[in-house]
Amino acid sequence: MSSLSRLLPALGLSLLLLPGCYSRSDMKTEEGTATKTPSDVPPTEVPGAVPVRTPEPATEAATTQPLQAVNVFLEVSGSMEGFMPKTGASGENTKFQQHVAQFLSEVNRTSAARQKLFYRIKERPYKDSYQAISGTVRSGIQQPAKSTDIPSVLDTLMTNYYQPGTVSVLISDFIYSPKNAGAIPYIKTDITDALTRSGAKSDMAVSVYGYTSDFRGTYYPALVASGKKTNCCDTEIPYYIWVVGPASAVRQFDAALLEQQPAKQAHFGVTYPQPGYSVLNKFQNKGSWYYGDAGASKRNADTYRVISVSEASAQQPVEFVVGLNLQGLPSQYRDVAYLKQNLKLQGVDTDAKLLDVFAATDQNRASSGPESKYTHFAKVRLTKAPKAARPLVLRLQDQRPAWVAQWTTKNDATPAPKTFALSSLLDGLEAQGGAEKKPIFEVPLTLQPAE
């Protein structure tokens, strides 16, 4: 048995331009033929002075309307047998079996999608039932595939299953294993080409969730020359769930079925509505300043965006806190360590600096003040009063999470909780979104002198 994605070196780089090991135009299944579906229509771009991810309107209909369909694909090649060993006399199972069986059940029962379809990926996807695919996870792979190929699978998902309101969910170890090391530099290119070969989708997004599980079976390293390992393993091995589809559908599926699960995360092209935010004038504030918004004294403190500074100096600095409601973002972007590193403050003609970013406490949430509405806070300090109204922007940069590098290896001959060339795989996802990396969100403020 070979692990996922064995490449044929004799075919050379030119083969990368071919559609893969099976047809893209017609997907044969054991129950019939799935016809090719039309591409999704690209969304209209929202103009703006600073390029940002185009968010979906945060309307109630957009958040409550079920997805049209969820297509779940489970890889059943030889490299996956150790995650799904055949049930022994002791009845023991792996973390993968427990987790994936529960996940499949949740997908099957969810009201977040109108239609749920299940497939086994061997040399090509085969349509399956929920009962059959759940049985495979619980009882083991009966007839494992010799090999499957990541670019061909992704190409097929984009060509045959990419539709508005639909996501494809791929469960695999994502071991990309060329037989010769000369193909390794092209992993990123292979992934990008596979995602765009059937036509670029401007709204395409992918969410990656990483897990580890005990593994009982034959271990196939990515580089064939390293040789397989039997009776493995003494360490846990990674596996992944990739969610592929239009950005709004991926975001909706993530929130409904994956956000509550503990997992490593990385998101590519997913868009999020601008978070709720406001300046808070009675929360850890210092110095001489007040709300400069029109009619500020006549309304609740939940949409204040203008800071009027009466006086500021090194001896008497101004400090104010911006409340941010990040509840609608994935946990990756709500993590305080990530925010401290990637939330940036940009201003014009000001020495304003971001002092700190911190999460709400139980005391904050129980408060009767406006701070109870927010999950996170950003504290800003300045020592020079503005001479005129000037923009100030808090912007969350989208950066590759640190776990990706930690889980990546260039040589997986020795089993470990790492995946061969994982960074290169995700480089391919990132490249399809274009050269410019857009912020997750930005919230504009205004600094102005007091009247």
Side-chain angles (χ1 to χ4, degrees), residues 1-200:
M1 301 297 175
S2 60
S3 64
L4 189 60
S5 176
R6 303 295 186 193
L7 300 180
L8 300 177
L11 295 182
L13 178 59
S14 61
L15 184 59
L16 299 178
L17 302 177
L18 296 180
C21 58
Y22 48 87
S23 171
R24 296 191 294 107
S25 59
D26 292 300
M27 176 58 57
K28 295 183 179 180
T29 71
E30 293 177 342
E31 296 184 8
T33 301
T35 58
K36 181 177 178 179
T37 57
S39 307
D40 196 7
V41 178
T44 303
E45 292 187 2
V46 177
V50 179
V52 296
R53 295 170 183 266
T54 305
E56 292 292 318
T59 62
E60 184 175 351
T63 57
T64 59
Q65 189 73 9
L67 295 172
Q68 291 296 323
V70 174
N71 302 302
V72 181
F73 300 84
L74 174 69
E75 191 211 339
V76 292
S77 69
S79 68
M80 295 291 290
E81 282 190 286
F83 291 117
M84 296 172 277
K86 296 179 175 62
T87 305
S90 63
E92 293 181 0
N93 54 21
T94 65
K95 289 183 181 180
F96 177 98
Q97 289 173 305
Q98 296 173 39
H99 169 222
V100 174
Q102 179 65 30
F103 174 68
L104 293 173
S105 175
E106 290 173 358
V107 171
N108 188 54
R109 292 181 286 108
T110 187
S111 60
R114 294 189 176 93
Q115 187 177 33
K116 283 83 73 171
L117 299 171
F118 300 88
Y119 302 83
R120 287 172 290 121
I121 295 183
K122 298 177 76 171
E123 71 282 359
R124 62 175 69 91
Y126 290 95
K127 193 171 182 182
D128 218 334
S129 65
Y130 160 70
Q131 290 78 11
I133 202 168
S134 179
T136 296
V137 170
R138 294 175 182 224
S139 303
I141 304 173
Q142 301 304 314
Q143 295 180 326
K146 292 183 178 180
S147 66
T148 49
D149 177 70
I150 292 176
S152 295
V153 170
L154 293 177
D155 185 10
T156 296
L157 298 190
M158 296 300 296
T159 303
N160 295 280
Y161 298 93
Y162 193 95
Q163 300 181 61
T166 299
V167 295
S168 294
V169 181
L170 181 55
I171 305 170
S172 168
D173 57 6
F174 281 91
I175 297 177
Y176 198 117
S177 50
K179 287 185 178 180
N180 96 59
I184 292 174
Y186 305 106
I187 293 176
K188 170 186 172 180
T189 302
D190 288 358
I191 299 301
T192 303
D193 287 351
L195 293 170
T196 57
R197 192 173 292 125
S198 62

Side-chain angles (χ1 to χ4, degrees), residues 38-376:
S39 307
D40 196 7
V41 178
T44 303
E45 292 187 2
V46 177
V50 179
V52 296
R53 295 170 183 266
T54 305
E56 292 292 318
T59 62
E60 184 175 351
T63 57
T64 59
Q65 189 73 9
L67 295 172
Q68 291 296 323
V70 174
N71 302 302
V72 181
F73 300 84
L74 174 69
E75 191 211 339
V76 292
S77 69
S79 68
M80 295 291 290
E81 282 190 286
F83 291 117
M84 296 172 277
K86 296 179 175 62
T87 305
S90 63
E92 293 181 0
N93 54 21
T94 65
K95 289 183 181 180
F96 177 98
Q97 289 173 305
Q98 296 173 39
H99 169 222
V100 174
Q102 179 65 30
F103 174 68
L104 293 173
S105 175
E106 290 173 358
V107 171
N108 188 54
R109 292 181 286 108
T110 187
S111 60
R114 294 189 176 93
Q115 187 177 33
K116 283 83 73 171
L117 299 171
F118 300 88
Y119 302 83
R120 287 172 290 121
I121 295 183
K122 298 177 76 171
E123 71 282 359
R124 62 175 69 91
Y126 290 95
K127 193 171 182 182
D128 218 334
S129 65
Y130 160 70
Q131 290 78 11
I133 202 168
S134 179
T136 296
V137 170
R138 294 175 182 224
S139 303
I141 304 173
Q142 301 304 314
Q143 295 180 326
K146 292 183 178 180
S147 66
T148 49
D149 177 70
I150 292 176
S152 295
V153 170
L154 293 177
D155 185 10
T156 296
L157 298 190
M158 296 300 296
T159 303
N160 295 280
Y161 298 93
Y162 193 95
Q163 300 181 61
T166 299
V167 295
S168 294
V169 181
L170 181 55
I171 305 170
S172 168
D173 57 6
F174 281 91
I175 297 177
Y176 198 117
S177 50
K179 287 185 178 180
N180 96 59
I184 292 174
Y186 305 106
I187 293 176
K188 170 186 172 180
T189 302
D190 288 358
I191 299 301
T192 303
D193 287 351
L195 293 170
T196 57
R197 192 173 292 125
S198 62
K201 311 293 193 299
S202 62
D203 65 344
M204 196 206 84
V206 182
S207 283
V208 174
Y209 294 84
Y211 311 84
T212 60
S213 170
D214 44 325
F215 188 96
R216 298 200 298 272
T218 302
Y219 173 80
Y220 297 92
L223 298 178
V224 177
S226 300
K228 64 184 181 181
K229 307 292 189 296
T230 57
N231 300 321
C232 191
C233 293
D234 294 329
T235 183
E236 294 194 345
I237 303 298
Y239 66 96
Y240 304 88
I241 295 178
W242 284 23
V243 184
V244 183
S248 58
V250 171
R251 182 183 70 243
Q252 189 171 337
F253 183 86
D254 288 351
L257 286 151
L258 286 169
E259 184 53 41
Q260 302 307 315
Q261 299 184 18
K264 302 295 185 181
Q265 298 182 11
H267 304 277
F268 302 87
V270 188
T271 56
Y272 306 97
Q274 184 187 63
Y277 71 103
S278 179
V279 178
L280 306 172
N281 75 337
K282 294 182 180 180
F283 184 72
Q284 300 188 18
N285 61 302
K286 289 183 180 180
S288 181
W289 67 275
Y290 59 88
Y291 292 141
D293 305 76
S297 62
K298 300 180 181 179
R299 53 194 173 93
N300 294 327
D302 56 0
T303 56
Y304 294 141
R305 313 287 165 78
V306 182
I307 303 97
S308 291
V309 180
S310 300
E311 184 181 354
S313 67
Q315 294 72 33
Q316 293 183 313
V318 163
E319 291 184 7
F320 60 88
V321 173
V322 181
L324 300 164
N325 185 358
L326 306 185
Q327 193 60 47
L329 296 180
S331 59
Q332 173 188 339
Y333 303 126
R334 289 185 277 115
D335 178 70
V336 172
Y338 183 92
L339 290 168
K340 283 179 179 290
Q341 186 174 2
N342 297 297
L343 186 64
K344 306 297 182 182
L345 181 69
Q346 182 178 352
V348 176
D349 295 333
T350 179
D351 69 342
K353 294 181 179 180
L354 184 61
L355 280 186
D356 194 15
V357 183
F358 52 99
T361 63
D362 290 341
Q363 182 179 0
N364 300 145
R365 287 185 282 268
S367 169
S368 59
E371 65 268 22
S372 63
K373 300 178 181 180
Y374 301 101
T375 63
H376 295 76

